[in-house]
Amino acid sequence: MRIDIVTLFPDFFSSPLSSGLLGKALAKEIALVNLVNPRDFAMDKHRRVDDEPYGGGVGMLMKPEPIFAAVESLPVLPQREIILMTPQGEPLRQPLLRSLASYDQLILICGHYEGVDERVLNLVTREVSLGDFVLTCGEIPALALINGVIRLLPGTVGKEESLKLESFEAGLLDYPQYTRPAEFRGWKVPDVLLSGNHGEIAKWRRQQQIDRTRDRRPDLLENREQGK
């Protein structure tokens, strides 16, 4: 997979993309991440990428020309999405990450200031949001998307079957997990997990998933029952 990031701050990604599983995946060439700065495509001598909004208002908007030029400079792979990271987009959820992981190329446009010129939407194929809140830049949600997608690619996670048992994969939160010691400060590991009875352990874990989801995220159970 190729991931192109259109960003005014390429250095933002240096440490996260070189650390942990992400760093190992990129070193193994499971994915390729390319950074492109729209400022390199600015059309005036001051390399300006923002301007005042027509009609007045506070703040500045990112101009369309540098963004279009940056995206159009990139190679075109057969299956690709051009994604604008914006609070107005669809929520970033696990089913979306699974879908995006099947693409050959993702182009992520990171907004700044008060957003981007509306005409940029003629370029993008999808708008994605990290949640119902506002951040100072699009790099943070872009990094979350990159992390979520790359970890789903074959070869990134050691035991790929573990991906199927995680939170949200079945529309439920994860079950509680424990490791040694069997007792810590008076808190004991549930007896069923020490029993060696794999059938009972599986039943316990499933029930814990349902109970935890009902307590913490009842909306997930409602969506699951409605087939969403």
Side-chain angles (χ1 to χ4, degrees):
M1 168 181 280
R2 177 187 175 104
I3 301 175
D4 295 289
I5 309 172
V6 180
T7 171
L8 292 173
F9 298 97
D11 290 346
F12 177 91
F13 296 92
S14 299
S15 178
L17 294 181
S18 62
S19 306
L21 283 179
L22 272 186
K24 292 178 181 178
L26 296 181
K28 292 192 291 185
E29 298 184 352
I30 292 171
L32 165 69
V33 174
N34 173 59
L35 300 166
V36 55
N37 192 333
R39 197 175 297 279
D40 295 335
F41 299 87
M43 304 178 69
D44 67 316
K45 64 179 181 180
H46 300 293
R47 301 174 69 200
R48 190 169 183 176
V49 294
D50 64 310
D51 211 331
E52 298 174 351
Y54 280 120
V58 297
M60 306 288 276
L61 291 177
M62 290 185 71
K63 294 164 60 68
E65 307 101 305
I67 295 175
F68 270 79
V71 171
E72 290 168 352
S73 74
L74 299 170
V76 178
L77 275 62
Q79 269 195 304
R80 74 170 186 169
E81 286 268 33
I82 303 175
I83 301 171
L84 174 65
M85 309 307 303
T86 169
Q88 301 174 61
E90 64 181 294
L92 182 60
R93 296 191 173 118
Q94 197 64 23
L96 175 56
L97 289 173
R98 286 199 302 270
S99 173
L100 294 176
S102 68
Y103 280 77
D104 300 316
Q105 180 182 23
L106 302 177
I107 299 175
L108 310 181
I109 301 173
C110 303
H112 270 274
Y113 314 116
E114 290 301 310
V116 301
D117 185 290
E118 185 73 8
R119 288 166 290 189
V120 171
L121 300 185
N122 294 298
L123 176 67
V124 306
T125 58
R126 188 186 292 269
E127 299 174 71
V128 174
S129 169
L130 196 58
D132 295 335
F133 51 88
V134 179
L135 300 171
T136 59
C137 63
E139 281 78 6
I140 295 172
L143 184 59
L145 187 152
I146 292 167
N147 187 296
V149 166
I150 290 182
R151 68 186 301 279
L152 293 175
L153 300 179
T156 299
V157 176
K159 295 182 179 179
E160 293 184 18
E161 64 270 18
S162 67
L163 296 174
K164 301 175 183 178
L165 303 175
E166 295 175 324
S167 291
F168 308 112
E169 284 298 334
L172 299 171
L173 298 181
D174 202 0
Y175 49 78
Q177 300 197 64
Y178 301 84
T179 187
R180 293 180 178 85
E183 182 174 348
F184 172 70
R185 295 188 178 181
W187 297 303
K188 297 181 178 180
V189 174
D191 291 337
V192 64
L193 298 179
L194 306 176
S195 69
N197 187 326
H198 297 295
E200 289 301 313
I201 290 172
K203 287 169 56 178
W204 179 86
R205 285 175 169 171
R206 187 64 170 181
Q207 188 59 51
Q208 289 294 314
Q209 283 187 285
I210 294 171
D211 292 345
R212 176 171 282 188
T213 305
R214 182 180 295 112
D215 291 341
R216 302 183 184 183
R217 290 290 305 276
D219 58 301
L220 292 177
L221 278 181
E222 293 173 7
N223 291 340
R224 193 165 181 265
E225 291 168 358
Q226 295 170 10
K228 294 183 179 178

